Amino acid sequence: MPRGRSGRLNGPAYLRIVPGIKQIGLLGGTPGIDVTVTEETAGDARARSNVARLAAAQALTGANSAVIFATGSIVGATLAPDMSFATVPLSMYVLGLASGTLPTGAISRAYGRRTAFVIGTGCGVLTGLLGAFAILRGSFALFCCATFLGGLYGAVSQSYRFAAADGASAGFRPKAVSLVMAGGVFAGVLGPQLVQWTMDIWAPYLFAFSFVVQAGVALVAMAILVGVDAPKPAPSDLHGGRPLLEIARQPRFIAAVLCGVIAYPMMNLVMTSAPLAMKICGLSVSDSNFGIQWHIVAMYGPSFFTGSLIARFGAPVIVAIGLALEAIAAGIGLSGITAMHFWATLIVLGVGWNFGFVGASALVLETHRPQERNKVQAFNDFLVFGMMTIGSFSSGQLLASYGWSAVNLVVFPPVLFGLLVLAFASVARRRARLQAVPELVDPGL
């Protein structure tokens, strides 16, 4: 290419980049330059732009759920007709989370992800406004409706990480997912701080203004998500593959679902009970806010390296470590009722959840073929969030009737059972490999 003494290109040069065309000359008759631009490169450029928006939205959406978890059981104890119903608002959040998963997928398929995002953030706005109104009116039923809407918002946010990978190259997808998940770390800081700064502004209506701010945060998230480049995806292949019952009978699938069912609901059981238990033990709301804040950071922080650990050591090992950490967290909870004990319990619990749930999700991916993924993953999520709902509704009764120690003791039997099933599935897989049974050796192909 001719250059002047300054090193700049001689003459006017206009570069046109067209995805999918490898060699493109400079326009206007000037000497040409070879540029390689592929569809993958163009897709990654779009994905990078989406990642920034989705990571920000993940932080803001996570802050909304953090407000609910930091205040839900305390507000519930104030408004509920009986202390045993204190955690029902949090259970309604989980119910909304379970109920919103399938509709989110249906809306995304029919109208595109961006439409689902806007509807989800709209639910987030209604969560804040209705929650504040419920506190001002002293209505337990309205507050439960507000947290249910918050669950619907949370269900939509579950798809942010998948949206980040849409259209990206295979090499960039894991990084895209990790960067979006990193937004959860900022949510752990932002959410409880919003509660801390705003909880007394409308005294004596504790937390009422916190929910007004929550509505504003959801509006900001909506404005960010409107700019996401998420065209309507191609229709999924709903036919083909093995029957669901055949897939569900695999020892690997049973272990994966069971470990997910244990890891998530056990974490939720302890987390939803902790703020109210701290209040009962004479600790301040600031103490519980701090605990929830670092619990959420511990839940999402390991996402930066959990995938690498799974690739190196295998999903069963990481799942086993995660379940063991949840048991250790329960042991810490049994050892004392100081603020430090509660904080340590919540932090270790968060790391255990990350290892257990992410590892269990990786196990699920190993049990199905590409054309089977929709029905298998939906069935897995239905079981996990369905069990979470049952666990959430029982946590208030358990705490009110038997105390904080009982909440922690409940964790041990399921964790032990999950470890045993995981070990059995691993032994069965090794035997299958020795026998070279195709369905078990490589079920993902």
Side-chain angles (χ1 to χ4, degrees), residues 276-302:
L276 182 56
M278 294 176 77
K279 181 180 180 182
I280 293 172
C281 292
L283 300 174
S284 68
V285 174
S286 297
D287 289 331
S288 65
N289 288 343
F290 184 85
I292 291 295
Q293 171 180 317
W294 286 101
H295 169 71
I296 296 174
V297 171
M299 284 174 63
Y300 292 100

Side-chain angles (χ1 to χ4, degrees), residues 346-363:
L346 290 169
I347 290 171
V348 176
L349 184 71
V351 177
W353 171 84
N354 184 278
F355 281 23
F357 187 68
V358 174
S361 299
L363 277 178

Side-chain angles (χ1 to χ4, degrees), residues 72-81 83 86 135 138 140 204 206-207 276 279:
S73 60
I74 298 174
V75 174
T78 303
L79 301 180
M83 178 67 75
I135 294 173
F140 181 69
L206 189 67
F207 304 128
L276 182 56
K279 181 180 180 182

Side-chain angles (χ1 to χ4, degrees), residues 105-436:
I107 293 170
S108 297
R109 286 192 298 271
Y111 304 104
R113 290 193 189 272
R114 187 163 48 202
T115 300
F117 294 162
V118 171
I119 293 174
T121 49
C123 289
V125 174
L126 292 176
T127 297
L129 297 179
L130 186 58
F133 181 73
I135 294 173
L136 294 174
R137 292 293 302 268
S139 173
F140 181 69
L142 284 179
F143 188 69
C144 289
C145 290
T147 57
F148 178 82
L149 288 171
L152 296 179
Y153 183 22
V156 174
S157 73
Q158 295 291 323
S159 65
Y160 290 171
R161 65 188 187 277
F162 298 118
D166 286 350
S169 64
F172 183 64
R173 284 172 197 155
K175 187 175 182 180
V177 172
S178 297
L179 290 172
V180 172
M181 290 294 289
V185 177
F186 297 100
V189 176
L190 179 61
Q193 287 303 313
L194 286 178
V195 176
Q196 187 68 32
W197 297 331
T198 61
M199 61 183 183
D200 293 319
I201 289 182
W202 280 357
Y205 301 102
L206 189 67
F207 304 128
F209 196 74
S210 301
F211 279 88
V212 174
V213 175
Q214 178 188 7
V217 170
L219 274 176
V220 175
M222 182 186 293
I224 291 172
L225 289 167
V226 165
V228 171
D229 183 6
K232 180 181 176 181
S236 299
D237 183 10
L238 302 178
H239 305 288
R242 297 164 293 172
L244 183 59
L245 181 59
E246 179 183 341
I247 300 169
R249 288 166 54 188
Q250 299 174 94
R252 194 81 159 176
F253 180 82
I254 294 171
V257 171
L258 183 65
C259 289
V261 163
I262 291 170
Y264 215 139
M266 289 302 102
M267 179 279 293
N268 190 68
L269 173 71
V270 177
M271 178 185 67
T272 55
S273 301
L276 182 56
M278 294 176 77
K279 181 180 180 182
I280 293 172
C281 292
L283 300 174
S284 68
V285 174
S286 297
D287 289 331
S288 65
N289 288 343
F290 184 85
I292 291 295
Q293 171 180 317
W294 286 101
H295 169 71
I296 296 174
V297 171
M299 284 174 63
Y300 292 100
S303 295
F304 288 112
F305 53 83
T306 306
S308 299
L309 292 175
I310 291 172
R312 181 172 181 179
F313 300 105
V317 173
I318 302 305
V319 174
I321 293 173
L323 293 178
L325 286 173
E326 291 196 355
I328 291 171
I332 296 171
L334 288 169
S335 64
I337 55 173
T338 66
M340 287 296 294
H341 284 93
F342 279 101
W343 295 341
T345 296
L346 290 169
I347 290 171
V348 176
L349 184 71
V351 177
W353 171 84
N354 184 278
F355 281 23
F357 187 68
V358 174
S361 299
L363 277 178
V364 171
L365 296 178
E366 296 177 9
T367 65
H368 62 73
R369 298 165 183 163
Q371 66 269 32
E372 299 164 348
R373 62 179 179 268
N374 291 315
K375 60 185 178 184
V376 173
Q377 293 171 8
F379 182 56
N380 173 74
D381 288 347
F382 172 77
L383 294 175
V384 170
F385 291 117
M387 288 302 299
M388 268 186 66
T389 303
I390 296 173
S392 293
F393 276 104
S394 63
S395 63
Q397 297 281 347
L398 189 63
L399 180 64
S401 301
Y402 301 102
W404 173 243
S405 295
V407 171
N408 289 283
L409 285 170
V410 166
V411 173
F412 294 104
V415 165
L416 179 59
F417 182 60
L419 291 173
L420 291 174
V421 173
L422 190 63
F424 172 78
S426 297
V427 171
R429 186 174 180 83
R430 280 195 292 269
R431 288 178 178 174
R433 284 185 173 182
L434 290 175
Q435 298 172 4

